Amino acid sequence: MARSKKHLGRYVDPRTDFGWKFYFGREDNKILLIEFLNSLFHGEKIISDLRYKPVEHDGDYEEMRRVVFDLHCIGSDGEVFIIEMQQLFQEFFKDRAVYYTSRLINKQLARGKKGSDYYLPEVYFIGILEFDMDRNGSTGISRVTERPYFYDVALCDKLTKEIFYDKLGYKMISLPLFNKQPEELKTVMDQWLYLLKHLSTMDRLPSFLDKRIFGLIFEIGEIGKLTEEELMSYEASLKHKRDAESVFNSAKKSGEALGHAKGLAEGLAEGERKKALETAKAFKEMGLPIADIAKGTGLSVEEVEKL
């Protein structure tokens, strides 16, 4: 037991399913989640209390499951938040985020409801991502922003940029893109993200983190205070995370190697084509029949005629 605890470090890693639930999924520690959410909303919303709905595990297969919190937040308008911690890249992640919010919105209307009263509470999706969403995703468009790790998404008019519907939002943090050093931490959100990334390697509460906010995490998060059952669950969760990371990194390296090989093959093919065009042009200047040139070089008749 002692050897395992030493091997695991001093504090529970919040970037595991066990750690995420351990710090943020318990009613007696909900002040931590409230503080974290308020740091992301940065005054846009102020949560004074929240109620947990049953914790879900999303995914049809064990290896796909991730912890999902459904939360009813008590604030200015009684907002509803979906909280998810995503450990690794997941294909169609944006589709899944929209699906989660759609499912939650659908639950707000009672079945068999009649009339035109479709008033809905505010719904937000919050994702803590262990991947670069753009790099793995998508558009190839570089986001020019001082906070490339933070996505604050809303439904808006593409022409005027005005918010079309202000009761649906997506706030996502891409942890791999958060690389600030202690002296660069300017906001409470900065401190939270630094903590999420580095808590598992710390041995004490550092002076650059606000003790009033983060003191409780360091108080409850010591691995030495876990029960035997909790320690076993944490070790299993940590192993699952590391195994998933290993599979993901191997797949990434294989993909990069495949991409390199594909690029090399395309380069060789382009070289062969250039050579064929040059040969066909020389034959055409010699007056050979176009059909024979096409057959001999592998080009089409149309390509030879254009030379």
Side-chain angles (χ1 to χ4, degrees), residues 20-38:
W20 190 246
K21 289 185 291 184
F22 183 78
Y23 291 118
F24 298 121
R26 300 192 292 180
E27 185 74 25
D28 50 346
N29 294 334
K30 65 181 178 180
I31 184 60
L32 295 175
L33 186 52
I34 291 173
E35 293 282 1
F36 176 60
L37 292 175
N38 281 335

Side-chain angles (χ1 to χ4, degrees), residues 153-169:
V153 181
L155 191 62
C156 69
D157 186 310
K158 292 170 66 175
L159 298 179
T160 66
K161 311 302 181 186
E162 294 180 350
I163 301 297
F164 172 75
Y165 185 70
D166 62 0
K167 292 164 63 177
L168 175 64

Side-chain angles (χ1 to χ4, degrees), residues 262-276:
K262 183 179 179 181
L264 182 60
E266 290 175 348
L268 291 173
E270 183 61 28
E272 291 296 325
R273 174 175 169 76
K274 184 178 180 181
K275 184 177 180 180

Side-chain angles (χ1 to χ4, degrees), residues 21-266:
K21 289 185 291 184
F22 183 78
Y23 291 118
F24 298 121
R26 300 192 292 180
E27 185 74 25
D28 50 346
N29 294 334
K30 65 181 178 180
I31 184 60
L32 295 175
L33 186 52
I34 291 173
E35 293 282 1
F36 176 60
L37 292 175
N38 281 335
S39 79
L40 296 185
F41 281 95
H42 196 59
E44 177 187 349
K45 300 291 177 187
I46 298 176
I47 303 167
S48 58
D49 196 7
L50 58 81
R51 297 192 302 271
Y52 290 86
K53 293 185 66 179
V55 174
E56 300 180 7
H57 283 81
D58 180 69
D60 297 326
Y61 304 100
E62 186 66 32
E63 63 270 18
M64 293 175 59
R65 293 183 179 180
R66 292 291 180 266
V67 177
V68 178
F69 295 156
D70 281 352
L71 305 167
H72 285 268
C73 298
I74 313 303
S76 56
D77 296 310
E79 302 87 345
V80 177
F81 296 84
I82 294 179
I83 309 299
E84 180 185 10
M85 173 89 167
Q86 196 74 19
Q87 302 291 343
L88 290 172
F89 173 69
Q90 210 173 56
E91 193 174 11
F92 307 123
F93 175 80
K94 295 177 184 178
D95 301 72
R96 294 171 67 84
V98 173
Y99 168 72
Y100 291 142
T101 51
S102 300
R103 183 176 60 181
L104 186 63
I105 291 171
N106 184 61
K107 291 180 180 179
Q108 308 309 310
L109 295 174
R111 292 190 177 185
K113 186 178 180 63
K114 297 181 180 180
S116 57
D117 183 10
Y118 278 84
Y119 177 82
L120 295 170
E122 295 180 61
V123 174
Y124 295 90
F125 175 91
I126 297 178
I128 311 301
L129 316 179
E130 290 282 359
F131 60 89
D132 180 344
M133 187 161 62
D134 284 338
R135 187 177 203 184
N136 289 279
S138 58
T139 61
I141 299 175
S142 177
R143 298 175 70 238
V144 181
T145 169
E146 294 181 353
R147 298 187 293 176
Y149 50 84
F150 183 49
Y151 295 78
D152 195 359
V153 181
L155 191 62
C156 69
D157 186 310
K158 292 170 66 175
L159 298 179
T160 66
K161 311 302 181 186
E162 294 180 350
I163 301 297
F164 172 75
Y165 185 70
D166 62 0
K167 292 164 63 177
L168 175 64
Y170 299 82
K171 295 182 185 293
M172 292 171 280
I173 300 292
S174 180
L175 280 180
L177 295 181
F178 183 82
N179 297 309
K180 289 188 176 184
Q181 300 303 308
E183 65 274 11
E184 300 175 291
L185 306 180
K186 306 299 183 184
T187 66
V188 176
M189 184 175 81
D190 286 347
Q191 294 185 48
W192 270 108
L193 300 187
Y194 187 91
L195 182 78
L196 289 179
K197 256 193 125 167
H198 300 287
L199 177 59
S200 64
T201 61
M202 292 178 177
D203 59 6
R204 69 176 70 87
L205 171 61
S207 60
F208 55 81
L209 294 182
D210 191 326
K211 184 176 181 180
R212 295 167 298 178
I213 298 175
F214 302 104
L216 179 59
I217 283 186
F218 285 85
E219 179 183 335
I220 68 174
E222 290 190 41
I223 290 176
K225 294 181 179 179
L226 297 179
T227 65
E228 184 174 351
E229 183 179 352
E230 288 173 334
L231 182 60
M232 292 176 62
S233 295
Y234 176 53
E235 287 180 312
S237 182
L238 192 60
K239 182 180 185 302
H240 182 274
K241 177 179 182 291
R242 289 170 176 170
D243 289 346
E245 286 175 342
S246 178
V247 171
F248 176 76
N249 290 331
S250 295
K252 183 179 179 182
K253 290 179 180 178
S254 297
E256 290 172 350
L258 182 62
H260 177 72
K262 183 179 179 181
L264 182 60
E266 290 175 348

Side-chain angles (χ1 to χ4, degrees), residues 276-289:
L277 290 170
E278 291 173 350
T279 302
K281 184 177 181 181
F283 284 161
K284 188 176 181 183
E285 290 174 350
M286 294 169 60
L288 296 179

